[in-house]
Amino acid sequence: MKGLVYKSTGSWYKVRSHKGNFIVCRLKGKLRIKGLKVTNPVSVGDIVEIEMEKGKETGLISKIDTRKNYLIRKSVNLSKQYHIIASNIDQAVLVATVTQPNTLNEFIDRFLVSVTAYNIPAVILVNKLDVYEDEHLNRLADWNSIYTNAGYTILPISVEKEINLDKVKKLFKGKTTVLSGNSGVGKSSLLKKLLPNEEIAVKEISEMHQQGVHTTTFAEMYDLPNGGHLIDTPGIRGIGVVDIEPKELSNYFPEFLKLKPFCKFNNCVHINEPNCAVKKALDEGEIALSRYNSYLSIFNNDQEENYR
Ligand code: GDP
Ligand code: ZN
């Protein structure tokens, strides 16, 4: 019987069967995924084949369907292993704030590079609009033009004052959305608003944040009341950039990619080459300096920890 994985806690999986009931499952033997060294063979969002254990209420996962896509990050301690955050995703949403806390541009850009590299549409929700003063609104306007120009969706919201939440609901309807963001930006508050029937689960998540020790907590999927799924990623502050070749990096900055055909060299990395269309656009203010600086930092493999 087919099922959809809603949660994994290492050895146990919460799977919704095609009949609609939840079944606690284990893996049947060792499931291996070709070509990818992962710490978790099954992730939230996976479609799996399950068999009921004889005489029990529990099930066994015997097969994982081919994934449409997935997001991964490097495992915290095992640098050559990966952790699959979630699979079969329609869009990735980053909750950011101009103030309380101040989300760094580079943090946003690293998020965008990773999801863009996996071909997953990205949305930035800028929360706490209700407390923004002039300087914050200026920065919001900058973000708005930078990220709209780059081809991403950006929407200012206030979870507390319920500004633009109808648009958020529309954006999420019928889709599987991964929600990400630094702690303090209002991600749990947003979940609570969108999932009025999941109070207990959301409370658990915010308690985890306060403890701050659950660095390897697993993602969990929730059903949205009007169709679609939300995947929360507690403890995963950034999706991060994993294994992108420096020479390919500019492909994941859409506004750079558009200009690449106009660079003199077809393998231009837009740093020291002459007649580079990206550098020219930067000089002319058509490409944002913050985007270019993020590009350089990721290109030079600067440590991600500095930008959280
Ligand atoms: P999380 O760490 O991202 O899950 O953030 P929380 O949902 O726990 O929110 C962090 C703090 O920001 C809490 O004190 C919330 O009450 C507050 N907060 C959340 N949304 C808003 C908002 O739209 N406006 C304001 N002013 N505060 C908010
Ligand atoms: Zn170039």
Side-chain angles (χ1 to χ4, degrees), residues 127-128 130-131 158-160 182-189 209:
N127 189 28
K128 309 200 185 182
D130 56 295
V131 296
S158 165
V159 174
E160 211 158 277
N182 261 322
S183 97
V185 295
K187 196 162 61 102
S188 316
S189 308
H209 277 308

Side-chain angles (χ1 to χ4, degrees), residues 250 256 259-260 262-265 267-271 273-280:
S250 71
F256 296 18
L259 293 173
K260 201 171 178 178
F262 304 103
C263 294
K264 180 174 176 186
F265 299 105
N267 59 353
C268 189
V269 294
H270 326 302
I271 297 178
E273 296 91 339
N275 293 335
C276 165
V278 170
K279 292 287 290 267
K280 185 163 174 271

Side-chain angles (χ1 to χ4, degrees), residues 6-237:
Y6 274 64
K7 188 180 185 172
S8 100
T9 52
S11 46
W12 289 97
Y13 300 88
K14 183 179 164 192
V15 182
R16 173 171 244 162
S17 83
H18 65 99
K19 290 176 194 151
N21 59 317
F22 283 106
I23 302 167
V24 174
C25 296
R26 290 182 296 142
L27 294 187
K28 185 182 181 184
K30 251 196 171 166
L31 291 172
R32 285 257 154 240
I33 299 164
K34 272 192 220 139
L36 199 67
K37 269 194 179 169
V38 293
T39 51
N40 58 333
V42 174
S43 88
V44 169
D46 270 334
I47 297 164
V48 294
E49 191 65 44
I50 46 180
E51 304 165 1
M52 293 310 290
E53 290 195 271
K54 278 203 183 69
K56 292 187 188 169
E57 302 277 290
T58 51
L60 294 171
I61 296 175
S62 57
K63 187 176 163 287
I64 309 163
D65 280 13
T66 307
R67 298 177 170 124
K68 181 174 85 175
N69 58 29
Y70 51 78
L71 283 173
I72 56 176
R73 67 180 166 89
K74 276 216 168 85
S75 190
V76 182
N77 302 317
L78 307 153
S79 63
K80 287 221 172 97
Q81 290 210 38
Y82 296 102
H83 178 87
I84 307 172
I85 299 169
S87 15
N88 301 318
I89 302 152
D90 294 319
Q91 63 188 355
V93 169
L94 182 72
V95 184
T97 41
V98 171
T99 182
Q100 301 175 26
N102 164 10
T103 306
L104 299 179
N105 284 44
E106 180 155 348
F107 182 82
I108 299 177
D109 294 333
R110 283 178 180 261
F111 166 86
L112 293 175
V113 165
S114 25
V115 301
T116 306
Y118 291 107
N119 245 324
I120 299 168
V123 176
I124 306 161
L125 297 179
V126 188
N127 189 28
K128 309 200 185 182
L129 185 60
D130 56 295
V131 296
Y132 291 178
E133 292 168 15
D134 285 351
E135 55 171 315
H136 307 126
L137 292 170
N138 286 336
R139 183 135 182 264
L140 174 64
D142 281 347
W143 280 3
N144 204 31
S145 84
I146 293 170
Y147 295 111
T148 307
N149 280 341
Y152 297 105
T153 302
I154 175 165
L155 180 69
I157 62 168
S158 165
V159 174
E160 211 158 277
K161 296 283 186 290
E162 307 205 350
I163 304 170
N164 283 340
L165 288 194
D166 50 333
K167 289 187 183 154
V168 173
K169 285 179 189 163
K170 224 167 146 187
L171 209 59
F172 288 3
K173 194 176 173 184
K175 290 185 178 157
T176 298
T177 301
V178 170
L179 208 57
S180 178
N182 261 322
S183 97
V185 295
K187 196 162 61 102
S188 316
S189 308
L190 179 63
L191 276 171
K192 259 185 229 178
K193 282 272 192 293
L194 298 174
L195 305 165
N197 304 324
E198 301 270 3
E199 255 169 84
I200 306 149
V202 172
K203 192 159 165 266
E204 279 172 12
I205 290 162
S206 54
E207 279 166 8
M208 277 188 221
H209 277 308
Q210 278 155 24
Q211 289 173 16
V213 289
H214 292 259
T215 48
T216 53
T217 36
F218 289 85
E220 178 158 8
M221 183 153 75
Y222 302 95
D223 289 331
L224 285 162
N226 296 317
H229 301 109
L230 263 189
I231 300 175
D232 184 34
T233 56
I236 300 166
R237 289 183 297 173

